[in-house]
Structures are given as C-alpha cells and as structure tokens.
Amino acid sequence: MESRLNQMAIDVAASLSEPKTPMNVRTYNELVDKNKYIPRDNDGLFNVMTSRLDDFEHHLLNDEFSVVDTFRVVRGELEARRFISAYLDANSHEAYSVSQEAVVIAEKRTDIRLQASRFDGYASIELKVVDKRGNWSGSALKKALIDQLIGQYLNHKRSCVGCLLIMMRETCKWKHPETDDMMTLAQTVEWLQSEADEIMKDRTELRVVVKGIDYSSTANELRS
C-alpha cells in the first residue's frame, strides 16, 4: 500500500511539472547542454554566470513557486545577497562554487563570487538593491561599476568576469549625471553597459555585464 501511494505521489508530481505543450528535441538538448556545461575559460564562465542570472530572473518573476512577495520585503543587500547566492549555489550543476563577500585585492570584498570548478578563475557579482529611498543615484551606480566592480574586483589576473546586478524592489528612475534626463531601469542598464563596453575596448581580457531585474511587479501583476 505504501509503495502504491509513493508511486501515486510521483505520478502527480510529474504531471504538475510537465509543460502544457511537449518540449521539442532541440529545446530539450539545449537545456540539457546548458545544465551540463562546465566552463574552462573566462568566456565560458561569463556565459554560465549570465545564464544562471537569467534563470534566476525568470524564476523570480514567472515561476509558479516564486517567493517574490517575500523577496520584496527584503530591503537590505545582505539578505538579498544570501537569497541570490542560495539560488546560484543550488543551480551550479558543478560548474562553479559560490562564496559571499570573498576578499579580493587590497582587502576589498565582492558581494558574490562564482569560483570556476575546472580552471583557476572566478566571476564577481556586485549587487545593488534599489527602491524609492534613492540610495543609489545614477552617479553612484556608475561609480559602483567603474571604481568598485571593475577597478577593484576585476583588477586581478584570476578575475576577469563580472556583473553589476541591479535589483529594483520598487519602481524608480535615475537622473543621467551628464544630460539630466530621467532614465528607466532599462535605460540605466543600457547606459551603464555602454560605459563598461568602452572600458573593455582597452581591457580586452574583461567580460562585464550590467543586468537589471525589476521585481516591483511580475508578469501576472499590473505594472505602474
């Protein structure tokens, strides 16, 4: 009887997890390859980092079991960092290991580090939680990107991969420090990425991305 109940539970769980439309072979193979991929250089580590962060965004905004409502309550970066680190660790697929506030050059500490499992390199993720309190202006975010992430954390031969991750808890806008134009999150990310791209023209070893996640509302909610 117990084994029959266990099998019923397995069948129910499987039916709930199955997509409403069958997954084609190409999509399945791409998913399997992505989860099995182990980076062996900085390009590979950059791809894995960006892929996992995209997965995290999708989970937070679209997953049936998302805890986005709980995550919105978090105002400090320490708690947000722990939450994101736990997700990245649970979905590492042996491609990397995760550490928080790892010491890099000159005793500076990066928020989240992904240590590659197959080569001596790591990625640094600098997290900024933004909301209507206005703690992070456009100028401050630019400083975090150029002086903090690139100037400090990516100033070592083992660390050439980085991400400035902007988590928008409440809808807000930023003033461009040069034009005074007000920018949305998407426009702010585009501007900051252009700043990073200019630096990467000279420092060709770097792989830097600016990513913004707007979790002030989700796909099932009305956006303001």
Side-chain angles (χ1 to χ4, degrees):
M1 181 65 177
E2 182 178 356
S3 61
R4 182 180 178 185
L5 290 175
N6 288 338
Q7 186 59 49
M8 289 175 61
I10 293 172
D11 292 341
V12 170
S15 67
L16 291 174
S17 64
E18 289 175 354
K20 292 182 174 60
T21 58
M23 183 182 297
N24 63 52
V25 174
R26 179 179 179 182
T27 301
Y28 173 79
N29 288 335
E30 288 175 349
L31 179 62
V32 170
D33 289 344
K34 181 184 74 170
N35 289 337
K36 287 186 175 181
Y37 178 72
I38 305 296
R40 289 173 170 79
D41 56 25
N42 285 322
D43 286 334
L45 182 59
F46 177 81
N47 290 335
V48 167
M49 177 189 70
T50 54
S51 175
R52 296 296 191 274
L53 290 175
D54 287 345
D55 290 344
F56 170 73
E57 179 179 14
H58 184 272
H59 164 73
L60 192 65
L61 302 184
N62 299 287
D63 198 299
E64 179 183 1
F65 302 104
S66 170
V67 292
V68 64
D69 291 333
T70 302
F71 195 57
R72 285 187 189 131
V73 178
V74 174
R75 298 174 70 89
E77 289 174 2
L78 174 61
E79 294 84 358
R81 186 185 71 214
R82 289 172 177 169
F83 185 96
I84 297 169
S85 295
Y87 178 89
L88 293 173
D89 183 62
N91 293 275
S92 67
H93 301 293
E94 301 182 354
Y96 56 79
S97 59
V98 181
S99 60
Q100 299 179 57
E101 285 209 332
V103 178
V104 289
I105 193 169
E107 291 299 311
K108 302 301 182 182
R109 296 176 180 270
T110 183
D111 281 335
I112 303 172
R113 174 189 286 185
L114 306 184
Q115 176 68 55
S117 60
R118 296 293 177 87
F119 75 100
D120 191 20
Y122 56 86
S124 297
I125 301 173
E126 180 61 22
L127 171 67
K128 302 302 179 190
V129 177
V130 297
D131 52 33
K132 293 178 180 178
R133 292 175 295 175
N135 293 344
W136 292 102
S137 65
S139 297
L141 289 175
K142 180 179 178 180
K143 184 178 179 67
L145 171 68
I146 296 176
D147 296 346
Q148 192 173 4
L149 178 62
I150 297 176
Q152 294 176 358
Y153 306 150
L154 303 187
N155 201 20
H156 188 282
K157 64 181 181 180
R158 292 176 53 216
S159 180
C160 298
V161 178
C163 174
L164 176 63
L165 178 59
I166 305 171
M167 301 290 298
M168 190 168 76
R169 192 176 71 88
E170 297 173 332
T171 301
C172 51
K173 291 189 175 183
W174 291 264
K175 180 183 290 188
H176 194 293
E178 298 172 4
T179 66
D180 288 339
D181 292 337
M182 297 305 295
M183 300 180 293
T184 63
L185 177 61
Q187 291 168 330
T188 301
V189 168
E190 182 179 7
W191 162 60
L192 291 172
Q193 185 65 60
S194 69
E195 296 287 335
D197 291 343
E198 285 298 313
I199 295 175
M200 286 188 284
K201 288 179 181 179
D202 294 324
R203 295 185 59 186
T204 57
E205 78 280 7
L206 295 182
R207 303 290 184 270
V208 181
V209 66
V210 181
K211 182 174 180 59
I213 299 180
D214 177 4
Y215 63 106
S216 61
S217 59
T218 68
N220 296 322
E221 300 172 334
L222 294 176
R223 290 185 175 270
S224 57

